[in-house]
Amino acid sequence: MSFPRATGILLHPTSLPSRGGIGDFGPAAYEFVEFLAVARQGLWQVLPLGPLGYGNSPYSSTSAFAGNPLLISLERLADHGWIDHARISNLLDHGGLVDYEEVRAGKVPVLVEAACNFLNFLKRASGAYRQRFDRFCKENSWWLEEFVLFDVLRDFYRKDSWNQWPRELAQREPAALAKARNELGHKLDVGRVIQFAFWEQWHALRRHCALRSIRVAGDIAIFVNYDSADVWVHPEMFRLNGNLESEVVSGVPPDAFSETGQRWGNPLYRWDAMKEWGYQWWIQRMRWATQTCDYIRLDHFRGFEQFWEIPASEPTAVHGRWVDGPKGQIFEKLREALGGLPFFAEDLGYITPEVNALREHLGIPGMAVLQFGFGNPGAHIYLPHRLTPNRVIYTGTHDNDTIVGWWTSCATERERRHIQAYLGPINDEGIHWAFIRAAQGSVADLSIVPLQDVLGLGSEARMNTPSRPDGNWRWRCAPGALTREHAEKLAVLAEVSDRLPQPCPVPPDENFTA
């Protein structure tokens, strides 16, 4: 589908300058939305919002449906009476990098305490609170019940992967599951409440965006973690052997950036089984995504046409092969179920004519990254003069160095010469504003800029370095970094490039309880 012409900012909520050592859905998020409104930005793009797994990557989640508890604002819980404000008065309050272990140690026990308080309140409550929580549990039982059981068991077994649990639990024997549910009943209730709090706060924040004509773009990783509720609950949908271990895993082949390719390690789907079941799991996943965001970025779109299959025994991605994916059939099923395809595709890297043909046939916009456009003539497909409206242009993405960091340390002399020829001499505003103006002035319907590029930050603000196993996803915006000058410059640019926000549907005015 085509999108109304707009501009927006890429910022994951963990990067907000919230109290508690990590960004969340609290006051800093609402301040950021007000900045977007003043800056006349019509889009806020986030990364996946699921609970974190390996490497604290939002693309490595323990569930395709649940929310990340670390994003819950304790301040908002206190405002709604879940916990006393004094209990959170000594929360870490710094704008430095996220220390996930420190954050978990400080925040999770308080979340559990707040959830227990809420459960005690429900014992004597009636009316809106009780009804709202009960409705959430009932409407979301199709994913919620299995996820909270998985999450509690995973915690009980000290984060060991589910295939390391006792055999009867790993193989989901009914008697063992029933016994676990009975013995862990209170912890399961706490897990339900924490997910309720997450989605209450997210829907409240999203409504706040919609009232200001700001759409939210979410992000869906094509693959899921092996150590996830999804694989534990539905092993028949994945390429597992008799011991419930992965036969083959995901990745991409060697290229100019990596001699050994990238071995991501996610289990691969049994697309034949998914087709036999009418792609119902994918329909549920995408329906849920479109109910929680306005637009969806499909990560690694190429994998729907062909994916790189690596034997699980291989330590690198070198000895893999391309295997056909479900191609357009899955999207026709999604279109029938959802009534449309509000997606855009991450189609970067080596993309075959077949992948482009599939994307164009489906009417799904692709991406263009301006930072990639100056390396050689083949890269010019990312430059503004080669784009079409049905496109999403970025200065860079979460996987790139910042524009200033790249220009300072990585850009070749050839790239520098071509950039100055194309964009003109770089003035006192800096290379980042030259890139932002070029992106905004392009014909692409959507133009998205990482917040680091708006602020002109260097490599210290990079969000992710692909293939680096740790140290990623930690950057946070400093308190007070967003100024009225930034907002005014963005607002004028949005106006002159015809990217002013357009009204969007506003969810009902609900009495949110968290």
Side-chain angles (χ1 to χ4, degrees):
M1 62 178 287
S2 59
F3 300 114
R5 187 170 170 84
T7 182
I9 290 179
L10 167 61
L11 177 74
H12 196 47
T14 57
S15 295
L16 289 162
S18 308
R19 293 180 62 189
I22 191 170
D24 59 31
F25 298 153
Y30 286 81
E31 291 172 11
F32 177 64
V33 172
E34 294 308 310
F35 171 83
L36 292 176
V38 173
R40 311 301 297 276
Q41 303 295 289
L43 196 67
W44 177 9
Q45 183 181 333
V46 300
L47 307 181
L49 299 172
L52 302 178
Y54 175 74
N56 297 309
S57 168
Y59 294 91
S60 177
S61 178
T62 58
S63 172
F65 302 98
N68 178 4
L70 299 181
L71 292 174
I72 297 172
S73 166
L74 295 175
E75 291 158 284
R76 286 184 64 84
L77 293 186
D79 290 342
H80 284 83
W82 289 44
I83 200 164
D84 193 276
H85 277 280
R87 182 68 179 84
I88 63 173
S89 61
N90 61 347
L91 278 178
L92 293 170
D93 191 10
H94 61 78
L97 299 177
V98 178
D99 183 328
Y100 284 96
E101 292 308 310
E102 189 176 41
V103 167
R104 287 188 181 94
K107 189 166 188 175
V108 171
V110 185
L111 280 174
V112 171
E113 181 181 332
C116 291
N117 292 341
F118 182 81
L119 286 169
N120 289 331
F121 172 76
L122 287 185
K123 291 177 182 177
R124 59 184 186 275
S126 60
Y129 264 57
R130 175 91 251 178
Q131 293 171 11
R132 194 164 182 85
F133 176 66
D134 288 347
R135 187 171 78 239
F136 170 81
C137 292
K138 181 179 179 181
E139 291 178 352
N140 297 287
S141 62
W142 54 274
W143 65 265
L144 179 64
E145 292 307 304
E146 297 290 9
F147 169 72
V148 295
L149 179 58
F150 172 85
D151 199 47
V152 169
L153 287 171
R154 188 170 182 266
D155 188 56
F156 183 82
Y157 290 108
R158 303 178 185 275
K159 308 301 182 186
D160 282 347
S161 181
W162 60 266
N163 66 326
Q164 301 300 311
W165 300 348
R167 180 190 56 79
E168 62 272 18
L169 288 173
Q171 297 188 355
R172 295 181 52 81
E173 294 181 5
L177 296 181
K179 183 180 181 213
R181 288 192 174 98
N182 182 59
E183 294 177 348
L184 301 170
H186 176 70
K187 291 186 176 182
L188 299 179
D189 286 339
V190 169
R192 293 184 189 99
V193 171
I194 288 175
Q195 285 301 305
F196 172 66
F198 176 94
W199 292 109
E200 285 282 279
Q201 291 192 1
W202 174 245
H203 290 306
L205 181 58
R206 187 182 168 208
R207 186 174 192 277
H208 190 76
C209 290
L211 286 168
R212 287 148 183 77
S213 299
I214 298 167
R215 290 170 168 83
V216 176
D219 198 326
I220 291 290
I222 182 174
F223 300 117
V224 299
N225 257 14
Y226 175 81
D227 188 23
S228 67
D230 310 284
V231 181
W232 178 59
V233 174
H234 299 292
E236 70 280 359
M237 296 196 314
F238 298 88
R239 299 277 302 281
L240 309 182
N241 61 26
N243 294 323
L244 297 178
E245 299 167 336
S246 295
E247 291 182 336
V248 288
V249 296
S250 65
V252 289
D255 57 21
F257 299 99
S258 173
E259 293 181 355
T260 58
Q262 296 181 40
R263 185 189 185 278
W264 297 333
N266 312 84
L268 294 175
Y269 297 111
R270 284 189 56 202
W271 285 115
D272 58 337
M274 289 194 160
K275 178 181 178 180
E276 183 178 339
W277 297 320
Y279 298 106
Q280 282 303 307
W281 183 83
W282 273 97
I283 290 172
Q284 286 180 317
R285 189 182 187 193
M286 292 305 186
R287 180 180 286 121
W288 181 243
T290 56
Q291 288 171 349
T292 55
C293 295
D294 298 285
Y295 304 151
I296 302 297
R297 173 189 178 272
L298 297 177
D299 190 49
H300 195 55
F301 177 79
R302 161 149 204 187
F304 291 104
E305 207 281 328
Q306 277 194 330
F307 53 89
W308 190 246
E309 177 185 283
I310 308 165
S313 59
E314 289 290 333
T316 73
V318 172
H319 300 296
R321 62 173 187 144
W322 289 111
V323 179
D324 285 346
K327 302 183 186 295
Q329 188 176 60
I330 186 174
F331 290 98
E332 297 307 327
K333 291 292 184 182
L334 290 171
R335 196 195 305 272
E336 291 172 11
L338 305 180
L341 300 175
F343 309 139
F344 57 96
E346 184 276 294
D347 57 345
L348 306 174
Y350 176 68
I351 299 300
T352 65
E354 291 79 10
V355 177
N356 283 328
L358 173 62
R359 183 183 57 75
E360 291 170 3
H361 170 73
L362 296 168
I364 296 177
M367 287 173 50
V369 178
L370 192 52
Q371 191 181 120
F372 291 157
F374 300 95
N376 56 61
H380 293 173
I381 58 172
Y382 296 131
L383 296 181
H385 71 279
R386 294 283 296 275
L387 301 186
T388 58
N390 199 31
R391 202 80 166 168
V392 184
I393 188 171
Y394 292 78
T395 54
T397 76
H398 62 274
D399 284 333
N400 291 99
D401 200 348
T402 67
I403 292 299
V404 169
W406 173 77
W407 174 258
T408 303
S409 304
C410 303
T412 66
E413 280 304 314
R414 174 192 175 96
E415 287 172 322
R416 289 168 174 272
R417 190 166 59 250
H418 286 181
I419 288 167
Q420 291 176 322
Y422 196 87
L423 301 180
I426 307 305
N427 60 27
D428 292 341
E429 285 188 316
I431 184 66
H432 54 297
W433 276 104
F435 269 62
I436 291 170
R437 293 181 192 284
Q440 307 290 60
S442 75
V443 298
D445 286 335
L446 298 182
S447 173
I448 300 175
V449 181
L451 185 63
Q452 294 96 314
D453 289 345
V454 173
L455 298 176
L457 300 179
S459 299
E460 75 283 354
R462 182 168 184 168
M463 190 63 164
N464 180 50
T465 302
S467 297
R468 189 175 71 177
D470 51 38
N472 293 316
W473 317 108
R474 299 183 63 201
W475 177 76
R476 295 178 70 206
C477 176
L482 298 175
T483 67
R484 177 160 290 276
E485 180 185 4
H486 290 121
E488 289 174 350
K489 288 177 72 171
L490 289 170
V492 173
L493 192 52
E495 181 176 1
V496 74
S497 60
D498 299 318
R499 295 186 182 275
L500 293 178
Q502 302 298 312
C504 56
V506 177
D509 185 6
E510 301 186 58
N511 184 26
F512 296 107
T513 59

